[in-house]
mmCIF file of all heavy atoms in Angstrom:
data_model
loop_
_atom_site.group_PDB
_atom_site.id
_atom_site.type_symbol
_atom_site.label_atom_id
_atom_site.label_comp_id
_atom_site.label_asym_id
_atom_site.label_seq_id
_atom_site.Cartn_x
_atom_site.Cartn_y
_atom_site.Cartn_z
ATOM 1 N N SER A 285 10.704 -7.086 19.848
ATOM 2 C CA SER A 285 10.343 -6.397 18.607
ATOM 3 C C SER A 285 8.876 -6.630 18.249
ATOM 4 O O SER A 285 8.136 -5.689 17.964
ATOM 5 C CB SER A 285 11.253 -6.880 17.468
ATOM 6 O OG SER A 285 10.810 -6.376 16.227
ATOM 7 N N ARG A 288 6.162 -4.823 20.283
ATOM 8 C CA ARG A 288 5.942 -3.401 20.012
ATOM 9 C C ARG A 288 5.060 -3.162 18.796
ATOM 10 O O ARG A 288 4.618 -2.030 18.551
ATOM 11 C CB ARG A 288 7.286 -2.690 19.797
ATOM 12 C CG ARG A 288 8.143 -2.568 21.045
ATOM 13 C CD ARG A 288 9.310 -1.615 20.790
ATOM 14 N NE ARG A 288 10.210 -2.123 19.756
ATOM 15 C CZ ARG A 288 11.290 -2.854 20.001
ATOM 16 N NH1 ARG A 288 11.583 -3.202 21.248
ATOM 17 N NH2 ARG A 288 12.073 -3.257 19.021
ATOM 18 N N PRO A 484 13.325 -1.267 1.649
ATOM 19 C CA PRO A 484 14.679 -0.989 2.152
ATOM 20 C C PRO A 484 15.759 -1.381 1.144
ATOM 21 O O PRO A 484 16.766 -0.674 0.989
ATOM 22 C CB PRO A 484 14.764 -1.834 3.426
ATOM 23 C CG PRO A 484 13.345 -1.977 3.878
ATOM 24 C CD PRO A 484 12.560 -2.096 2.603
ATOM 25 N N ALA A 502 4.296 4.979 2.360
ATOM 26 C CA ALA A 502 4.810 3.740 2.945
ATOM 27 C C ALA A 502 4.962 3.867 4.463
ATOM 28 O O ALA A 502 5.920 3.345 5.042
ATOM 29 C CB ALA A 502 6.141 3.366 2.306
ATOM 30 N N ALA A 503 4.015 4.528 5.122
ATOM 31 C CA ALA A 503 4.092 4.692 6.575
ATOM 32 C C ALA A 503 4.108 3.354 7.302
ATOM 33 O O ALA A 503 4.622 3.251 8.423
ATOM 34 C CB ALA A 503 2.917 5.532 7.064
ATOM 35 N N GLU A 504 3.582 2.294 6.662
ATOM 36 C CA GLU A 504 3.584 0.955 7.251
ATOM 37 C C GLU A 504 4.994 0.500 7.614
ATOM 38 O O GLU A 504 5.187 -0.296 8.543
ATOM 39 C CB GLU A 504 2.947 -0.028 6.259
ATOM 40 C CG GLU A 504 2.961 -1.482 6.665
ATOM 41 C CD GLU A 504 1.990 -1.808 7.789
ATOM 42 O OE1 GLU A 504 1.135 -0.948 8.096
ATOM 43 O OE2 GLU A 504 2.086 -2.905 8.348
ATOM 44 N N LEU A 505 5.993 1.020 6.918
ATOM 45 C CA LEU A 505 7.380 0.640 7.197
ATOM 46 C C LEU A 505 7.809 1.012 8.611
ATOM 47 O O LEU A 505 8.746 0.417 9.149
ATOM 48 C CB LEU A 505 8.329 1.308 6.194
ATOM 49 C CG LEU A 505 8.343 0.757 4.763
ATOM 50 C CD1 LEU A 505 9.270 1.584 3.899
ATOM 51 C CD2 LEU A 505 8.762 -0.699 4.745
ATOM 52 N N ARG A 506 7.121 1.955 9.215
ATOM 53 C CA ARG A 506 7.515 2.380 10.566
ATOM 54 C C ARG A 506 7.098 1.384 11.644
ATOM 55 O O ARG A 506 7.554 1.486 12.784
ATOM 56 C CB ARG A 506 6.950 3.764 10.866
ATOM 57 C CG ARG A 506 7.550 4.875 9.993
ATOM 58 C CD ARG A 506 7.387 6.233 10.627
ATOM 59 N NE ARG A 506 7.921 7.294 9.784
ATOM 60 C CZ ARG A 506 9.188 7.706 9.811
ATOM 61 N NH1 ARG A 506 10.049 7.117 10.617
ATOM 62 N NH2 ARG A 506 9.590 8.697 9.030
ATOM 63 N N VAL A 507 6.226 0.438 11.308
ATOM 64 C CA VAL A 507 5.768 -0.529 12.314
ATOM 65 C C VAL A 507 6.071 -1.961 11.874
ATOM 66 O O VAL A 507 5.341 -2.894 12.160
ATOM 67 C CB VAL A 507 4.262 -0.357 12.622
ATOM 68 C CG1 VAL A 507 4.022 0.942 13.359
ATOM 69 C CG2 VAL A 507 3.415 -0.417 11.352
ATOM 70 N N LYS A 508 7.161 -2.136 11.156
ATOM 71 C CA LYS A 508 7.637 -3.470 10.805
ATOM 72 C C LYS A 508 8.573 -3.972 11.921
ATOM 73 O O LYS A 508 8.505 -3.511 13.049
ATOM 74 C CB LYS A 508 8.345 -3.432 9.448
ATOM 75 C CG LYS A 508 7.392 -3.251 8.267
ATOM 76 C CD LYS A 508 6.574 -4.510 8.032
ATOM 77 C CE LYS A 508 5.774 -4.468 6.753
ATOM 78 N NZ LYS A 508 5.035 -5.729 6.520
ATOM 79 N N GLU A 509 9.459 -4.920 11.597
ATOM 80 C CA GLU A 509 10.369 -5.455 12.607
ATOM 81 C C GLU A 509 11.205 -4.363 13.270
ATOM 82 O O GLU A 509 11.656 -4.506 14.409
ATOM 83 C CB GLU A 509 11.278 -6.521 11.994
ATOM 84 C CG GLU A 509 10.598 -7.855 11.750
ATOM 85 C CD GLU A 509 9.837 -7.928 10.443
ATOM 86 O OE1 GLU A 509 9.458 -6.874 9.897
ATOM 87 O OE2 GLU A 509 9.599 -9.034 9.958
ATOM 88 N N SER A 510 11.419 -3.280 12.551
ATOM 89 C CA SER A 510 11.989 -2.055 13.111
ATOM 90 C C SER A 510 11.249 -0.914 12.417
ATOM 91 O O SER A 510 10.414 -1.142 11.546
ATOM 92 C CB SER A 510 13.496 -1.974 12.812
ATOM 93 O OG SER A 510 13.726 -1.833 11.410
ATOM 94 N N ASP A 511 11.533 0.327 12.824
ATOM 95 C CA ASP A 511 11.071 1.470 12.030
ATOM 96 C C ASP A 511 11.979 1.494 10.810
ATOM 97 O O ASP A 511 13.081 2.053 10.842
ATOM 98 C CB ASP A 511 11.194 2.759 12.842
ATOM 99 C CG ASP A 511 10.794 4.006 12.036
ATOM 100 O OD1 ASP A 511 10.719 3.926 10.798
ATOM 101 O OD2 ASP A 511 10.573 5.056 12.663
ATOM 102 N N ARG A 512 11.532 0.841 9.752
ATOM 103 C CA ARG A 512 12.429 0.639 8.613
ATOM 104 C C ARG A 512 12.784 1.934 7.896
ATOM 105 O O ARG A 512 13.840 2.005 7.251
ATOM 106 C CB ARG A 512 11.813 -0.379 7.637
ATOM 107 C CG ARG A 512 11.903 -1.812 8.168
ATOM 108 C CD ARG A 512 11.339 -2.832 7.219
ATOM 109 N NE ARG A 512 11.627 -4.183 7.719
ATOM 110 C CZ ARG A 512 11.020 -5.282 7.274
ATOM 111 N NH1 ARG A 512 10.089 -5.199 6.333
ATOM 112 N NH2 ARG A 512 11.350 -6.464 7.779
ATOM 113 N N ILE A 513 11.941 2.945 7.961
ATOM 114 C CA ILE A 513 12.293 4.223 7.347
ATOM 115 C C ILE A 513 13.487 4.820 8.068
ATOM 116 O O ILE A 513 14.505 5.164 7.452
ATOM 117 C CB ILE A 513 11.087 5.184 7.367
ATOM 118 C CG1 ILE A 513 9.971 4.659 6.453
ATOM 119 C CG2 ILE A 513 11.516 6.588 6.923
ATOM 120 C CD1 ILE A 513 8.679 5.457 6.532
ATOM 121 N N ASN A 514 13.396 4.941 9.382
ATOM 122 C CA ASN A 514 14.489 5.506 10.164
ATOM 123 C C ASN A 514 15.745 4.639 10.102
ATOM 124 O O ASN A 514 16.865 5.150 9.952
ATOM 125 C CB ASN A 514 14.042 5.687 11.615
ATOM 126 C CG ASN A 514 15.144 6.228 12.502
ATOM 127 O OD1 ASN A 514 15.858 5.472 13.161
ATOM 128 N ND2 ASN A 514 15.299 7.545 12.508
ATOM 129 N N THR A 515 15.563 3.322 10.202
ATOM 130 C CA THR A 515 16.716 2.412 10.205
ATOM 131 C C THR A 515 17.479 2.486 8.888
ATOM 132 O O THR A 515 18.721 2.538 8.880
ATOM 133 C CB THR A 515 16.261 0.965 10.466
ATOM 134 O OG1 THR A 515 15.532 0.909 11.695
ATOM 135 C CG2 THR A 515 17.448 0.025 10.561
ATOM 136 N N VAL A 516 16.767 2.499 7.776
ATOM 137 C CA VAL A 516 17.430 2.568 6.468
ATOM 138 C C VAL A 516 18.159 3.893 6.298
ATOM 139 O O VAL A 516 19.332 3.933 5.900
ATOM 140 C CB VAL A 516 16.415 2.355 5.331
ATOM 141 C CG1 VAL A 516 17.038 2.693 3.978
ATOM 142 C CG2 VAL A 516 15.924 0.914 5.316
ATOM 143 N N VAL A 517 17.476 4.981 6.595
ATOM 144 C CA VAL A 517 18.081 6.300 6.392
ATOM 145 C C VAL A 517 19.311 6.481 7.272
ATOM 146 O O VAL A 517 20.378 6.936 6.802
ATOM 147 C CB VAL A 517 17.045 7.413 6.649
ATOM 148 C CG1 VAL A 517 17.736 8.781 6.711
ATOM 149 C CG2 VAL A 517 15.987 7.417 5.550
ATOM 150 N N GLN A 518 19.209 6.127 8.544
ATOM 151 C CA GLN A 518 20.354 6.290 9.443
ATOM 152 C C GLN A 518 21.542 5.439 9.003
ATOM 153 O O GLN A 518 22.697 5.887 9.069
ATOM 154 C CB GLN A 518 19.945 5.941 10.878
ATOM 155 C CG GLN A 518 18.950 6.910 11.496
ATOM 156 C CD GLN A 518 19.467 8.332 11.516
ATOM 157 O OE1 GLN A 518 20.625 8.594 11.837
ATOM 158 N NE2 GLN A 518 18.612 9.284 11.140
ATOM 159 N N ASN A 519 21.272 4.232 8.542
ATOM 160 C CA ASN A 519 22.370 3.360 8.111
ATOM 161 C C ASN A 519 22.955 3.793 6.775
ATOM 162 O O ASN A 519 24.167 3.661 6.559
ATOM 163 C CB ASN A 519 21.896 1.906 8.066
ATOM 164 C CG ASN A 519 21.865 1.272 9.449
ATOM 165 O OD1 ASN A 519 22.807 1.408 10.225
ATOM 166 N ND2 ASN A 519 20.786 0.595 9.774
ATOM 167 N N GLU A 529 14.631 11.160 5.673
ATOM 168 C CA GLU A 529 13.325 10.613 6.020
ATOM 169 C C GLU A 529 12.216 11.531 5.528
ATOM 170 O O GLU A 529 12.339 12.760 5.562
ATOM 171 C CB GLU A 529 13.179 10.460 7.537
ATOM 172 C CG GLU A 529 14.004 9.369 8.155
ATOM 173 C CD GLU A 529 13.645 9.142 9.620
ATOM 174 O OE1 GLU A 529 12.429 9.126 9.942
ATOM 175 O OE2 GLU A 529 14.573 8.992 10.434
ATOM 176 N N LEU A 530 11.121 10.929 5.093
ATOM 177 C CA LEU A 530 9.860 11.618 4.853
ATOM 178 C C LEU A 530 8.857 11.050 5.857
ATOM 179 O O LEU A 530 9.061 9.960 6.390
ATOM 180 C CB LEU A 530 9.384 11.381 3.415
ATOM 181 C CG LEU A 530 10.366 11.773 2.296
ATOM 182 C CD1 LEU A 530 9.785 11.380 0.935
ATOM 183 C CD2 LEU A 530 10.657 13.263 2.343
ATOM 184 N N PRO A 531 7.768 11.749 6.140
ATOM 185 C CA PRO A 531 6.801 11.216 7.103
ATOM 186 C C PRO A 531 6.321 9.809 6.771
ATOM 187 O O PRO A 531 6.138 8.976 7.664
ATOM 188 C CB PRO A 531 5.657 12.226 7.049
ATOM 189 C CG PRO A 531 6.304 13.502 6.610
ATOM 190 C CD PRO A 531 7.374 13.081 5.646
ATOM 191 N N GLY A 533 7.821 7.862 4.126
ATOM 192 C CA GLY A 533 8.753 7.269 3.176
ATOM 193 C C GLY A 533 10.160 7.801 3.345
ATOM 194 O O GLY A 533 10.567 8.179 4.449
ATOM 195 N N PRO A 549 21.463 -3.163 11.823
ATOM 196 C CA PRO A 549 20.130 -3.455 11.284
ATOM 197 C C PRO A 549 19.036 -3.482 12.343
ATOM 198 O O PRO A 549 17.876 -3.671 12.020
ATOM 199 C CB PRO A 549 20.310 -4.828 10.642
ATOM 200 C CG PRO A 549 21.390 -5.470 11.438
ATOM 201 C CD PRO A 549 22.329 -4.359 11.830
ATOM 202 N N ARG A 550 19.410 -3.299 13.604
ATOM 203 C CA ARG A 550 18.467 -3.308 14.729
ATOM 204 C C ARG A 550 17.681 -4.622 14.783
ATOM 205 O O ARG A 550 16.475 -4.635 15.073
ATOM 206 C CB ARG A 550 17.523 -2.102 14.657
ATOM 207 C CG ARG A 550 18.238 -0.760 14.641
ATOM 208 C CD ARG A 550 17.291 0.410 14.509
ATOM 209 N NE ARG A 550 18.030 1.660 14.300
ATOM 210 C CZ ARG A 550 17.456 2.834 14.033
ATOM 211 N NH1 ARG A 550 16.135 2.931 13.967
ATOM 212 N NH2 ARG A 550 18.199 3.909 13.844
ATOM 213 N N ASP A 552 16.757 -6.448 12.369
ATOM 214 C CA ASP A 552 15.810 -6.594 11.257
ATOM 215 C C ASP A 552 16.482 -7.350 10.107
ATOM 216 O O ASP A 552 17.435 -6.859 9.488
ATOM 217 C CB ASP A 552 15.347 -5.217 10.792
ATOM 218 C CG ASP A 552 14.175 -5.271 9.823
ATOM 219 O OD1 ASP A 552 14.179 -6.135 8.930
ATOM 220 O OD2 ASP A 552 13.261 -4.442 9.959
ATOM 221 N N ILE A 555 16.781 -5.566 6.609
ATOM 222 C CA ILE A 555 17.775 -4.486 6.597
ATOM 223 C C ILE A 555 19.182 -5.075 6.493
ATOM 224 O O ILE A 555 20.018 -4.600 5.724
ATOM 225 C CB ILE A 555 17.657 -3.631 7.872
ATOM 226 C CG1 ILE A 555 16.241 -3.062 8.029
ATOM 227 C CG2 ILE A 555 18.707 -2.521 7.860
ATOM 228 C CD1 ILE A 555 15.851 -2.038 7.023
#
Side-chain angles (χ1 to χ4, degrees):
S285 172
R288 291 191 297 267
E504 176 72 12
L505 286 177
R506 294 201 182 272
V507 291
K508 288 289 189 177
E509 284 84 338
S510 66
D511 177 344
R512 285 181 172 165
I513 293 173
N514 178 265
T515 304
V516 169
V517 169
Q518 293 302 317
N519 281 314
E529 289 189 43
L530 304 176
R550 303 177 188 174
D552 191 318
I555 303 292

